[in-house]
Amino acid sequence: MTAAEAPRTCDRHDGYRHEAFFYEGAEEFMAGVVPFVRAAVAADEPILVVLGAPKIAALREALGADAERVLFADMAAVGDNPARIIPAWQQFLDEHGGGVRPMRGIGEPIWAGRTAAELVECQRHEALLNIAFADPDFWLLCPYDIAALPTEVLDEARRSHPFLRDRDSAHTSGTFAGPQTLAAPFDRALPEPPADAEALTVNRGSLGEVRAVVALRAAAAGLSADRTADLVLTVNELTTNSVRHGGGYGTLRVWADAGAVVCEVRDQGRLDDPLAGRVAPSQAAEGGRGLWIANQVCDLVQIRSFADGVAVRVHQRLG
């Protein structure tokens, strides 16, 4: 299929349009995204394209001079931790008149190389996009490689995107779960920690010991000094939050796993904000700073809200 044969992607949009684009191979990918970008350029709509570096290079070449009017960012950097992607989109909207003028974006957070844990958090990110950007005049196209991704991943994309597109058509999704369902507390079970995970009780008197244990376990695993300091800062914020807002105490577990140091904090608190950790807290906010810091300095953050409390698991890779 050539770009000229692709289904129309240049219709004007009104409000937020979150669309999954299913493609197979480089030719179909380019046939879908090139007209989308050119339409934005022609309409003088700001557009940010967040893809892997090889796709950015190919798209720049295909666009020619139009590429100078497009903002590009490498998804490997922006979305290494998927929870950082929504703040990046929000920054783009804030800096280019979001809410006042139509804007577009292309973002591909899910690819075949994602780990199982990363994939779940990417899917949660895709669901939360419907909550984060319900109002701006913003058209966000999310490519999915049907040749490389499992059927269950594509099915989940149909549930998290109200609009779908493939090489033949563009239409609404019959299985879109709806913003209310997607904003519900996320309670998917986490894998059990290994038997050798170190466990500590968290309370007001143990915060110093908590920091020391995390530092020792991280150093023993080979984590660098700077990244150890970031991990200690994160766990200190999370455990302090347990003392202040999670019933006065909690549990910390620390272990090494698959080239990373993992720390999990559980307490009896509640988490009602689905975007917690993805929106910078205001200076006046009483909470939320710990989750924001965790997402800024850690490689992966998994937040779960269960009937009996909250679990936050952070990963810091050794590399």
Side-chain angles (χ1 to χ4, degrees):
M1 175 185 292
T2 66
E5 295 169 336
R8 290 202 306 162
T9 63
C10 55
D11 299 336
R12 290 198 60 80
H13 53 108
D14 182 18
Y16 179 56
R17 182 180 179 94
H18 187 204
E19 186 170 21
F21 166 48
F22 300 111
Y23 70 93
E24 184 173 5
E27 184 177 351
E28 280 192 11
F29 175 81
M30 298 298 286
V33 301
V34 170
F36 184 86
V37 175
R38 288 199 188 280
V41 171
D44 195 28
E45 296 178 358
I47 180 168
L48 172 61
V49 176
V50 191
L51 299 169
K55 287 179 177 174
I56 289 177
L59 187 54
R60 281 185 180 276
E61 183 177 359
L63 290 171
D66 281 346
E68 299 302 317
R69 298 177 60 188
V70 179
L71 296 173
F72 293 93
D74 188 347
M75 182 59 83
V78 175
D80 182 34
N81 175 353
R84 296 190 197 126
I85 305 174
I86 284 177
W89 286 124
Q90 186 62 62
Q91 182 178 354
F92 166 65
L93 293 175
D94 291 343
E95 292 179 353
H96 295 85
V100 178
R101 60 191 299 196
M103 304 176 71
R104 298 195 189 203
I106 299 175
E108 188 171 22
I110 295 178
W111 58 84
R114 287 289 201 183
T115 67
E118 289 172 346
L119 175 59
V120 171
E121 301 313 312
C122 285
Q123 291 173 322
R124 178 61 173 164
H125 154 75
E126 288 278 59
L128 291 177
L129 281 166
N130 300 286
I131 314 304
F133 303 116
D135 296 324
D137 197 351
F138 181 37
W139 190 349
L140 180 57
L141 191 72
C142 302
Y144 280 79
D145 186 347
I146 63 175
L149 296 172
T151 300
E152 57 268 24
V153 173
L154 304 177
D155 288 343
E156 185 61 29
R158 295 181 179 96
R159 286 189 287 270
S160 62
H161 293 75
F163 301 95
L164 307 177
R165 180 176 299 278
D166 57 27
R167 65 183 180 181
D168 298 319
S169 64
H171 51 88
T172 58
S173 171
T175 56
F176 176 59
Q180 185 173 359
T181 297
L182 297 175
F186 194 48
D187 60 358
R188 182 177 297 188
L190 291 165
E192 286 296 318
D196 63 349
E198 186 164 357
L200 293 88
T201 297
V202 172
N203 54 45
R204 193 173 300 277
S206 69
L207 295 179
E209 181 186 4
V210 162
R211 292 189 294 270
V213 167
V214 171
L216 287 171
R217 290 295 296 257
L223 197 64
S224 70
D226 288 346
R227 290 173 63 72
T228 293
D230 286 340
L231 185 60
V232 171
L233 169 64
T234 296
V235 173
N236 182 67
E237 290 286 335
L238 296 176
T239 52
T240 299
N241 188 69
S242 293
V243 171
R244 292 177 177 173
H245 307 291
Y249 67 94
T251 302
L252 168 70
R253 289 180 172 84
V254 187
W255 67 94
D257 178 59
V261 179
V262 184
C263 299
E264 180 187 278
V265 178
R266 288 184 180 249
D267 59 44
Q268 293 183 324
R270 287 183 53 85
L271 188 61
D272 298 320
D273 181 5
L275 294 174
R278 290 171 168 83
V279 178
S282 67
Q283 294 294 327
E286 293 186 3
R289 197 161 283 107
L291 294 176
W292 174 259
I293 290 173
N295 276 321
Q296 299 313 299
V297 303
C298 292
D299 295 314
L300 187 67
V301 179
Q302 299 169 279
I303 302 171
R304 301 291 188 270
S305 183
F306 302 112
D308 59 351
V310 172
V312 181
R313 184 176 291 188
V314 298
H315 304 240
Q316 199 77 312
R317 290 192 291 268
L318 301 181

